[in-house]
Amino acid sequence: MTETSSRWRDTSLSAAERVDALIGEMTLREKAAQLYGIWVASSPVGDDVAPFQHDMSEDAVELDSLLPHGLGQLTRSFGSAPVDPAVGLASLARSQKRIMAANRFGIPAIAHEECLAGFTAWGATNYPVPLSWGATFDPDLIERVAKRIGTGMRAVGVHQGLAPVLDVTRDPRWGRTEETIGEDPYLVGTIALGYVRGLESTGIVATLKHFIGYSASKAGRNLAPVSMGRREYNDVMVPPFELAVRDGGVRSVMHAYTDVDGVPSAGDESLLTGMLRETWGFTGTVVADYFGIAFLKTLHGVAGSWEDAAASALKAGVDVELPTVKVYGDPLVSAVESGHLDESFVDRALRRVLLQKAEFGMLDAGWSPPPEGWTDADLDDIEAVRGRVDLDTAEDRALAREVAERAVVLVHNDGTLPLSADMDLRIAVVGPLSDDPFAMLGCYSFPSHVGTLHPEVPIGIELPTVLQSLRAEFPNASITVEPGVSVDGKGEGTAESDAAGIARAVAAARDADLVLAVLGDRAGLFGRGTSGEGCDATSMRLPGRQQDLLDALIDSGTPVVATLVEGRPYALGSAAELASAIVTAFFPGEEGGPAIAGVLSGRVNPSGRLPVSIPAHEGSQPTTYLAPPLGGPTGVSNIDPTPRFPFGHGLSYTSFEWSDAETDATETSTSGTVTVSLTVANTGDRAGIENVQLYLHDPVASVVRPVNRLIGYASVTLESGERKTVSFEVSADLSAFTGRDYRRIVEPGELELRLGASSGDIRFALPVTLTGPVRGVDHTRTLRSRVTVG
């Protein structure tokens, strides 16, 4: 290792002073090396787990030639292939020692992993997907989840997690709908804020993604262009990120793949530097979505060479290239040496990267790769440590079940549910997902994301199916099983086998007292599933022939409970009206089977609410509840986009009564506040959770506004006979929108504060008038209602 100055090692100096001293000693090549990751565990063969992975990885990474310059990040040491967690810990620590020994400054790399619905590692807990987080309407619960995820990641030496997703669902045909929290920006922002706070509290760097607009791609196609006006962009897509950056203490942001109105996010200086840093004051790192910088050349056509792509992204504000070196290596160095790019842009990004490493103590002489509780001696014999780390503890599983139980939505019930657990029933369990453990998991779970590429390796966690859970929940029932059809209807001979399967399923239904139809999605990647990244849908019809199966079961005459395990909300045809009950779970994780069974039996009183609307028609997309009057049914179109079950909807096994709704004032200024309150009582015979939602209705504005827009919510736990008062302190700032001149404003005029059980079930509409002048507001405005329950 070449001799270096000791000034940057001086811990009596500020981190900024140390970093500046270090930058001053680095060569251009050493600077560039801190701005990229390497993906050494990526498989050179097999199916992609990132877009165009193998196209982008044709140039082999030569570690021996790269490491002497240093390294910015290590990509997915745990999330690329099955590895025992303790073995992975030891291997990562040994890799860090190699990196430190190879570069003359002895600086290690940031290790990042996916953690969308749990640490994406073999043997780690698989929590419900973010769409289920939205269904809980409970940010505190999701903060607890993130703390458990972050604790496991830090325990094995990981530093950064690539979550949460703050994309707002605009078209649920998009395969990554399962990764979103819902179709409302307030719900997305507040739930994501809980996740960010939880993850960051453990020391893990949370990464907001995908900045901004990814979920609004045309026709719901992955990576397709985004054609969206600035007003919709500002008022729907931006606020969740704004909230998380301002109030969450987040330390990293990942750019989106897409272009918005022709400008790719990875090359958008007004977005990554102007809005994010200069306006919002963000000081962390911006990392590339995998291969996103290279896509400026290969997919977007806004860069003519790798050097152009490097210059464009770095000027825009992308600090780190992930997952592996492609553009920020030789092309970046060449761009600087040729004068195409000023070296100050390299130094700017480098300063951010090194400051983050300084936070982890990575610039300190005493920094050691093994995590707390481990020593260098533990790394000598990797096999000896196998089994020492448990990433799926009893505490983790209990929390996974709690979230799953809170997220299951009872969508419809004619009184058939709950079923008594000790009933002597003949139950026909029908559907391709009834005994499929992967039905519980989203596409970024380790078993679905990576495990399917290694069928010889066990799943690594207990993953009870719906069928197994039903047998445990209803021990006295006589259960028959018929898959009926395949999930996606694909494959040679599938049409004939599905037709025969439907006939067998109908026969089983006619011999039963009740049918549980377990239908929905199987997550995958790039067409290898019906939901997930690159698994987009042409319509909102259930995949394959599942709708035909459901219709045939309805026609059998036996009561049918449609039990949906899915990644997006499907239209259900006649079942929406004729099924005895409908239960929905959005990829509910490893404890999802018992959670669903518990809701069916009544052991769990359902409290989930729909974070996305369930459409009435399979071809009515794209639409969400955030629509102006002309976005609803009119006399000038034969298409009625009204959802069959609206955003926020969900039923319970107990009953609630709302009363005494009032505001403390009917008038306030455009800079004032008003408090909305009501009393909620549990009038049923069992404990339950009621969800009170507060919507804003702006009947007259200078631009077209949504009929209803969520500005607050409260999940209220009530024992039988108990009553509580729920209050919302509402700032006039929450009525702000992007005006005609594209400034965000609060306008005077009449508003309605609407209290509802869903966006389609408004119980009270309370008028409030804002007085005074039009008031401009910025990123410092109030973004949340203050909620009190007591």
Side-chain angles (χ1 to χ4, degrees):
M1 185 179 296
T2 305
E3 188 69 26
T4 66
S5 160
S6 60
R7 179 172 170 76
W8 66 273
R9 291 284 197 191
D10 185 353
T11 57
S12 68
L13 300 176
S14 69
E17 290 173 315
R18 294 175 65 193
V19 165
D20 284 342
L22 178 55
I23 291 173
E25 295 196 30
M26 286 180 151
T27 66
L28 176 59
R29 181 73 63 172
E30 287 170 332
K31 292 176 180 181
Q34 293 294 324
L35 306 185
Y36 55 71
I38 56 172
W39 197 359
V40 294
S42 173
S43 172
V45 296
D47 293 319
D48 287 356
V49 296
F52 303 98
Q53 174 185 340
H54 292 103
D55 293 342
M56 290 290 104
S57 304
E58 73 274 14
D59 300 324
V61 173
E62 295 291 343
L63 286 179
D64 289 340
S65 62
L66 286 177
L67 292 187
H69 305 297
L71 181 64
Q73 294 222 5
L74 274 170
T75 294
R76 291 172 63 171
S77 299
F78 291 86
S80 300
V83 59
D84 174 87
V87 172
L89 178 157
S91 298
L92 174 57
R94 288 170 67 164
S95 294
Q96 292 281 34
K97 292 172 82 70
R98 179 184 178 187
I99 293 165
M100 294 169 68
N103 75 84
R104 67 191 180 104
F105 300 104
I107 302 173
I110 294 281
H112 79 259
E113 297 285 347
E114 297 283 359
C115 57
L116 182 75
F119 181 11
T120 305
W122 186 85
T125 304
N126 283 259
Y127 291 93
V129 298
L131 205 55
S132 275
W133 306 352
T136 71
F137 275 71
D138 192 337
D140 293 339
L141 178 59
I142 304 311
E143 182 172 344
R144 288 168 53 204
V145 168
K147 284 181 178 179
R148 292 302 306 164
I149 294 171
T151 297
M153 296 172 75
R154 285 299 293 134
V156 296
V158 175
H159 307 99
Q160 181 168 0
L162 303 186
V165 169
L166 280 77
D167 300 307
V168 179
T169 297
R170 301 302 286 163
D171 185 340
R173 293 176 298 178
W174 190 50
R176 303 189 79 168
T177 295
E178 64 177 67
E179 300 180 44
T180 73
I181 293 168
E183 67 182 46
D184 178 86
Y186 188 91
L187 179 66
V188 171
T190 50
I191 294 290
L193 178 62
Y195 184 94
V196 167
R197 286 176 167 173
L199 201 66
E200 288 279 358
S201 72
T202 68
I204 292 290
V205 174
T207 309
L208 308 182
K209 59 185 190 182
H210 306 85
F211 196 71
I212 300 176
Y214 187 26
S215 56
S217 55
K218 285 184 178 179
R221 294 179 58 247
N222 194 37
L223 269 71
V226 174
S227 296
M228 175 181 284
R230 285 171 59 189
R231 187 168 291 104
E232 180 182 359
Y233 182 85
N234 288 339
D235 290 347
V236 177
M237 310 306 285
V238 169
F241 290 94
E242 192 174 17
L243 177 60
V245 168
R246 197 190 73 180
D247 294 353
V250 70
R251 287 181 286 169
S252 194
V253 169
M254 175 182 281
H255 75 73
Y257 282 130
T258 41
D259 71 88
V260 178
D261 196 24
V263 180
S265 297
D268 190 346
E269 186 175 3
S270 66
L271 174 68
L272 300 179
T273 297
M275 179 190 289
L276 180 62
R277 296 190 183 278
E278 295 173 356
T279 300
W280 295 354
F282 177 70
T283 59
T285 57
V286 173
V287 300
D289 204 345
Y290 283 15
F291 308 112
I293 299 173
F295 290 166
L296 293 175
K297 176 180 183 290
T298 62
L299 299 184
H300 294 297
V302 295
S305 66
W306 298 127
E307 288 80 4
D308 288 344
S312 177
L314 203 62
K315 286 179 179 178
V318 182
D319 302 312
V320 181
E321 180 182 23
L322 299 179
T324 200
V325 56
K326 179 74 177 181
V327 180
Y328 276 10
D330 290 340
L332 176 57
V333 172
S334 175
V336 174
E337 291 178 341
S338 68
H340 185 39
L341 175 69
D342 193 283
E343 192 170 347
S344 63
F345 288 104
V346 176
D347 291 347
R348 183 182 70 173
L350 177 61
R351 185 170 289 105
R352 296 163 185 162
V353 168
L354 292 178
L355 282 171
Q356 206 157 83
K357 289 192 173 186
E359 291 176 0
F360 283 106
M362 290 178 167
L363 304 188
D364 299 345
W367 189 86
S368 178
E372 184 177 352
W374 291 70
T375 66
D376 287 339
D378 294 321
L379 311 182
D380 293 338
D381 187 352
I382 285 185
E383 286 305 311
V385 302
R386 186 178 296 275
R388 183 171 157 181
V389 174
D390 185 1
L391 294 177
D392 189 32
T393 65
E395 181 181 355
D396 292 316
R397 293 195 71 92
L399 182 56
R401 181 175 292 204
E402 181 181 352
V403 179
E405 291 176 348
R406 288 287 306 278
V408 175
V409 184
L410 179 59
V411 176
H412 167 69
N413 186 23
D414 67 1
T416 297
L417 298 181
L419 307 170
S420 174
D422 58 2
M423 289 177 67
D424 185 12
L425 279 177
R426 296 175 300 160
I427 302 176
V429 179
V430 177
L433 301 175
S434 58
D435 200 27
D436 182 355
F438 285 89
M440 302 293 112
L441 306 177
C443 78
Y444 268 80
S445 68
F446 186 87
S448 295
H449 197 78
V450 178
T452 53
L453 306 179
H454 302 270
E456 75 285 358
V457 179
I459 290 178
I461 55 173
E462 293 182 22
L463 200 57
T465 67
V466 172
L467 177 62
Q468 291 167 340
S469 302
L470 291 172
R471 292 193 191 280
E473 195 80 22
F474 300 99
N476 298 329
S478 174
I479 295 178
T480 58
V481 184
E482 282 291 346
V485 297
S486 63
V487 175
D488 58 10
K490 296 179 181 178
E492 186 176 349
T494 300
E496 294 79 6
S497 63
D498 281 356
I502 291 175
R504 289 193 299 271
V506 169
R510 287 174 176 158
D511 288 338
D513 301 312
L514 180 74
V515 177
L516 296 179
V518 187
L519 309 169
D521 285 308
R522 198 176 197 269
L525 292 165
F526 309 115
R528 305 194 297 271
T530 61
S531 175
E533 186 172 2
C535 296
D536 310 313
T538 56
S539 78
M540 300 310 295
R541 182 180 177 86
L542 280 164
R545 293 196 63 187
Q546 292 185 74
Q547 186 64 56
D548 295 338
L549 172 62
L550 182 56
D551 290 342
L553 294 172
I554 294 289
D555 290 343
S556 73
T558 302
V560 175
V561 175
T563 307
L564 302 166
V565 186
E566 55 191 359
R568 60 167 66 85
Y570 290 104
L572 300 174
S574 63
E577 306 293 337
L578 302 178
S580 296
I582 301 170
V583 173
T584 291
F586 297 107
F587 290 141
E590 64 184 42
E591 288 291 326
I596 292 169
V599 167
L600 294 174
S601 73
R603 173 175 55 79
V604 175
N605 191 358
S607 61
R609 300 294 186 265
L610 290 175
V612 283
S613 308
I614 295 179
H617 310 290
E618 61 191 53
S620 61
Q621 294 302 315
T623 184
T624 75
Y625 96 94
L626 280 173
L630 286 176
T634 68
V636 294
S637 173
N638 63 318
I639 298 175
D640 184 351
T642 304
R644 180 60 187 84
F645 301 102
F647 170 84
H649 170 76
L651 304 177
S652 173
Y653 291 145
T654 191
S655 57
F656 300 98
E657 181 180 275
W658 296 17
S659 63
D660 305 323
E662 61 180 4
T663 59
D664 66 348
T666 58
E667 185 176 292
T668 190
S669 71
T670 52
S671 60
T673 62
V674 63
T675 298
V676 184
S677 62
L678 80 161
T679 299
V680 180
N682 183 345
T683 56
D685 58 4
R686 63 180 296 176
I689 299 175
E690 177 66 309
N691 189 265
V692 179
Q693 298 159 34
L694 177 64
Y695 294 89
L696 177 74
H697 173 61
D698 189 349
V700 179
S702 57
V703 300
V704 174
R705 303 296 297 138
V707 174
N708 286 319
R709 178 169 63 86
L710 187 71
I711 60 169
Y713 57 85
S715 293
V716 187
T717 302
L718 293 165
E719 297 295 324
S720 176
E722 187 179 13
R723 64 181 55 236
K724 292 181 179 178
T725 298
V726 182
S727 298
F728 299 90
E729 184 180 294
V730 181
S731 168
D733 289 4
L734 291 170
S735 71
F737 58 86
T738 302
R740 293 194 177 195
D741 61 358
Y742 297 105
R743 293 186 309 118
R744 199 179 299 276
I745 58 173
V746 176
E747 284 188 337
E750 296 180 356
L751 303 174
E752 279 186 0
L753 298 176
R754 295 178 167 183
L755 293 161
S758 76
S759 60
D761 181 7
I762 301 300
R763 307 284 177 83
F764 300 100
L766 306 174
V768 173
T769 300
L770 299 185
T771 62
V774 173
R775 175 171 156 259
V777 294
D778 59 18
H779 64 285
T780 63
R781 71 193 184 280
T782 299
L783 296 173
R784 291 177 287 160
S785 297
R786 182 177 299 174
V787 182
T788 304
V789 179

